[in-house]
Amino acid sequence: MPTSALSERTIRFLILMIFLAAAMETDIYLPAFPDMMAAFNTNETMIQRVLSFNFLGICVASLIYGPLSDAIGRRHVLNLGYALFILGSIGCVFSNNIDILIFWRFVQGFGSAACMIIGAAMVFDLYKAEKAAEIVSDLNSLVVSIIAFAPMLGGWINYQFGYTYNFVFIAALTIATGLICFLKLPESLPVEKRKPLSVKGIGRDYVMVLKNGEFWANTLITTMIFSGYMIFISNMPLIFVNHLGIDSAVFPFYQVSLLVAFVIASVSNGRMIKGFGVNGLRRCGFLTIVLMTFAMFVIPTHWQQHPLLITALMVIYSLGAGVCIGIFFARSMEAVPEQTGVSASLVTAIRLALVAVLIDISGAMFDGTMTSVINLISGCILMSVVIYLLDEHRSKRQKANVAL
């Protein structure tokens, strides 16, 4: 069926189907970490690799799917990605030790990356830039809401049926959405608009972006903010449930509060930009993150072990992140305007690679308290402050040179 025969509502639905399982597979099982650690008889470092290796899979794949789909078409690459996504999801269900589970989580991430990358590319294939941006923004709001809902659903599934059924749910959802897209979603990139697959050309484009200082500054700031958030999220279930005495049935409410805060800030971004301006909102959100991190770092150690207090501070951190992280991301994309596709792939790859490494470090530092987690988050945000100040200085110097 040609894309012209489909209504905008149908296309939105099909693209949402592409995003749905990929949005949920990352964090639906996080509330089950304590039960998974006991079931696999493993430690905190290994159980957190269930998350970090999934990120690594997405990271590696994000460098491949975009250029490949430009050459052979979106639908072929999406079907390949979905096949790996389904295979990895089924593999997770039947994993009987932690090493096998980590391997299948990597495969699952490698496959799920196609959903996000190809889904967004299809929208830009089908619509002009302004309309495409509007549709992607709407879809992103829905996706962020799904991500916020996922841990609540995962906590309920784990409490009622056991952690394995989170993986069963994702496998079933992946098969269902993959089948819908395979049967209904047409190719969006005509043959005449495809580009030859040139490793040399792709490498040249990547180098062009990687040489840009503005790209690096905004990408690293985005990465450090996101890393602080994910370090907290990944350690939360292990510390709150196993060491601070929070009931596993209640814990998802703590986790979902952070995600809801991020969603509220993200979906309100457009309205707040009208009042504060882009740069004003960026500074306001970033300052909020810095202040909340500083507050967590300086409070007495015994206060750092108070679940409600530390969650409240991280909720405000999440509001700040939801406000400014999208603006920093957009600045990364705009740093080299003629290479936005390559920039998007590199931002995703760099961010997830560094987040995976930092989550692994947090597992190695794990001591059962929030103090080690807060110290690592503080290190990330301190680095982002240094990069922010250096980039502001670079920007002012560049403007001064232009004025001369």
Side-chain angles (χ1 to χ4, degrees):
M1 181 187 297
T3 51
S4 58
L6 299 176
S7 67
E8 182 183 317
R9 180 177 296 181
T10 301
I11 290 172
R12 282 177 182 257
F13 171 77
L14 291 172
I15 299 295
L16 180 60
M17 288 298 99
I18 295 174
F19 284 149
L20 186 59
M24 297 190 78
E25 68 92 15
T26 302
D27 60 355
I28 188 172
Y29 61 89
L30 290 180
F33 264 7
D35 291 341
M36 290 168 64
M37 194 168 77
F40 288 110
N41 191 27
T42 190
N43 57 36
E44 290 83 5
T45 300
M46 292 300 288
I47 206 69
Q48 290 195 2
R49 285 178 181 168
V50 174
L51 176 61
S52 62
F53 272 68
N54 183 259
F55 281 167
L56 284 176
I58 299 171
C59 162
V60 175
S62 66
L63 296 173
I64 299 169
Y65 288 139
L68 187 61
S69 71
D70 285 342
I72 67 172
R74 311 300 187 202
R75 184 176 160 84
H76 293 306
V77 178
L78 180 63
N79 289 340
L80 172 63
Y82 247 121
L84 291 171
F85 193 3
I86 291 168
L87 180 65
S89 299
I90 293 171
C92 289
V93 173
F94 294 102
S95 296
N96 56 12
N97 70 59
I98 192 66
D99 293 314
I100 293 173
L101 177 61
I102 289 169
F103 168 77
W104 285 119
R105 283 287 291 161
F106 178 87
V107 174
Q108 192 179 41
F110 196 98
S112 72
C115 298
M116 294 297 186
I117 291 168
I118 305 303
M122 282 184 153
V123 174
F124 281 92
D125 289 340
L126 298 171
Y127 297 99
K128 292 181 180 179
E130 189 174 329
K131 184 64 176 178
E134 177 194 323
I135 292 173
V136 168
S137 177
D138 290 345
L139 287 169
N140 279 341
S141 297
L142 283 169
V143 167
V144 171
S145 301
I146 291 164
I147 292 171
F149 173 70
M152 184 72 77
L153 176 62
W156 180 81
I157 290 172
N158 179 59
Y159 187 74
Q160 294 293 331
F161 307 106
Y163 76 88
T164 305
Y165 282 87
N166 278 318
F167 294 117
V168 171
F169 174 79
I170 290 297
L173 183 62
T174 305
I175 292 168
T177 57
L179 190 61
I180 290 170
C181 292
F182 180 77
L183 294 174
K184 297 292 184 181
L185 194 67
E187 176 58 62
S188 63
L189 186 66
V191 174
E192 61 272 15
K193 291 187 177 181
R194 296 177 191 177
K195 303 174 184 176
L197 187 62
S198 166
V199 174
K200 185 178 179 180
I202 293 167
R204 186 174 58 247
D205 292 343
Y206 281 150
V207 169
M208 181 189 299
V209 175
L210 291 171
K211 283 182 176 179
N212 187 280
E214 185 180 354
F215 168 83
W216 272 110
N218 288 283
T219 297
L220 289 176
I221 292 168
T222 302
T223 298
M224 290 301 107
I225 293 170
F226 185 62
S227 294
Y229 179 81
M230 288 308 304
I231 288 165
F232 190 87
I233 286 285
S234 64
N235 279 278
M236 250 184 122
L238 300 173
I239 296 175
F240 278 37
V241 175
N242 287 353
H243 296 275
L244 300 183
I246 300 299
D247 188 271
S248 59
V250 175
F251 169 73
F253 291 97
Y254 284 85
Q255 192 170 46
V256 82
S257 66
L258 307 183
L259 295 158
V260 167
F262 189 88
V263 170
I264 290 171
S266 297
V267 299
S268 304
N269 225 348
R271 288 188 292 274
M272 288 190 286
I273 284 173
K274 293 177 182 177
F276 291 91
V278 173
N279 285 328
L281 192 61
R282 174 173 63 97
R283 294 188 188 104
C284 181
F286 188 60
L287 181 61
T288 300
I289 291 167
V290 173
L291 291 175
M292 290 307 102
T293 304
F294 181 73
M296 288 191 291
F297 184 75
V298 299
I299 60 175
T301 303
H302 64 278
W303 286 14
Q304 291 176 343
Q305 317 315 316
H306 195 291
L308 280 175
L309 173 61
I310 213 70
T311 301
L313 292 173
M314 276 303 295
V315 163
I316 302 173
Y317 177 110
S318 301
L319 287 169
V323 163
C324 71
I325 204 167
I327 299 172
F328 283 116
F329 176 78
R331 285 165 66 92
S332 296
M333 296 284 288
E334 293 163 1
V336 187
E338 66 274 21
Q339 296 291 352
T340 53
V342 170
S343 296
S345 293
L346 283 171
V347 170
T348 302
I350 292 167
R351 181 178 63 193
L352 294 181
L354 288 177
V355 168
V357 170
L358 288 165
I359 289 174
D360 220 45
I361 291 171
S362 77
M365 291 174 59
F366 187 90
D367 61 2
T369 72
M370 287 306 303
T371 303
S372 63
V373 175
I374 290 168
N375 288 342
L376 188 55
I377 294 171
S378 300
C380 290
I381 300 308
L382 177 61
M383 185 179 295
S384 73
V385 170
V386 172
I387 296 167
Y388 180 88
L389 294 174
L390 288 172
D391 188 55
E392 288 289 293
H393 177 70
R394 178 202 59 78
S395 179
K396 288 177 182 176
R397 190 175 60 189
Q398 192 176 54
K399 288 176 182 176
N401 290 337
V402 170
L404 292 173

